[in-house]
Amino acid sequence: MDAISRHRLCCLGIDTTALMRLSMHQRMCAVYEAFIERVPYENLSNHRAVLEHPNDPDSWPRATDRLLRENQTYGLGGTSFSLAYALRDMLHGAGGNAHTTLGYNLVTERAHAAVIVYIEGEPWLFDPALLLCGPIPVRPGGYLDDPLGRFVLLPRCGPTLTVALTLRDELKPTPPPAMDDAWAHVPLSGCLLYTSDAADEGVEGGGGGG
């Protein structure tokens, strides 16, 4: 392991000698867990960089060493891109075949970044911005059981996979009680019609307001 990689890993409190005794999968998971425990997902640091130097775009990017330095000094982290690039460098420094991968949010359509690591020829997804508790095997149906529930990679179109979360039963919102053809008024001069069947299926029928 080179001196730069050793220094970066030490910034996460990792004992590099003990780390290198682990199997590749254990090593990658140990680095990832240390990273997400110490480096938060946030966008304050990006806004701060722009506000401090509004006329100097070259100073805005936050590469790995700057991110780690600002994390140690101010407790800052970064957005999915800053986190993914830094995590890739950390995993690569620990001997992993790590690469950044790009995606987008299906709701906001904003770009997103994460890391793919090939371990014994198999790709694994590490996503610090989603705060996953570990990696997901990259294949249709690949999953990870997390305290929130089960994250599953579902086929979308062509080679594209989508991360879907099924919440644990105890974390799911409690559905409203079933009502027989009862009207419930809501703000903004609208109303929702619930029937017993619709309430059971979680379906809301639209109603006119006025």
Side-chain angles (χ1 to χ4, degrees), residues 16 29 31-32 45 48 50 61 67 69 77 86 99 106 165 190 201 205 209:
T16 55
C29 288
V31 173
Y32 175 74
S45 50
R48 177 173 172 265
V50 174
L67 182 143
R69 183 171 60 253
H99 307 268
L106 292 177
L165 168 64
E201 297 175 4

Side-chain angles (χ1 to χ4, degrees), residues 77-132:
T79 60
S80 67
F81 282 85
S82 298
L83 297 182
Y85 293 138
L87 178 62
R88 176 206 57 192
D89 288 345
M90 308 289 276
L91 294 172
H92 181 77
N97 182 5
H99 307 268
T100 52
T101 183
L102 302 180
Y104 71 96
N105 188 302
L106 292 177
V107 177
T108 66
E109 296 189 348
R110 292 181 178 176
H112 181 80
V115 179
I116 297 288
V117 181
Y118 290 86
I119 303 174
E120 297 181 355
E122 297 295 328
W124 293 78
L125 174 69
F126 292 79
D127 195 332
L130 288 185
L131 295 177
L132 300 179

Side-chain angles (χ1 to χ4, degrees), residues 11 63-76:
C11 289
T64 299
D65 294 305
R66 178 178 176 182
L67 182 143
L68 292 173
R69 183 171 60 253
E70 293 182 349
N71 173 258
Q72 288 187 303
T73 305
Y74 307 111
L76 295 174

Side-chain angles (χ1 to χ4, degrees), residues 185-208:
H185 292 281
V186 296
L188 301 179
S189 67
C191 59
L192 299 176
L193 173 62
Y194 292 90
T195 65
S196 56
D197 291 338
D200 290 341
E201 297 175 4
V203 178
E204 298 174 353

Side-chain angles (χ1 to χ4, degrees), residues 130-134 144-151 165 168 171:
L130 288 185
L131 295 177
L132 300 179
C133 68
L144 168 71
D145 286 323
D146 184 271
L148 288 177
R150 173 166 287 190
F151 288 90
L165 168 64
R168 295 184 182 277
L171 297 178

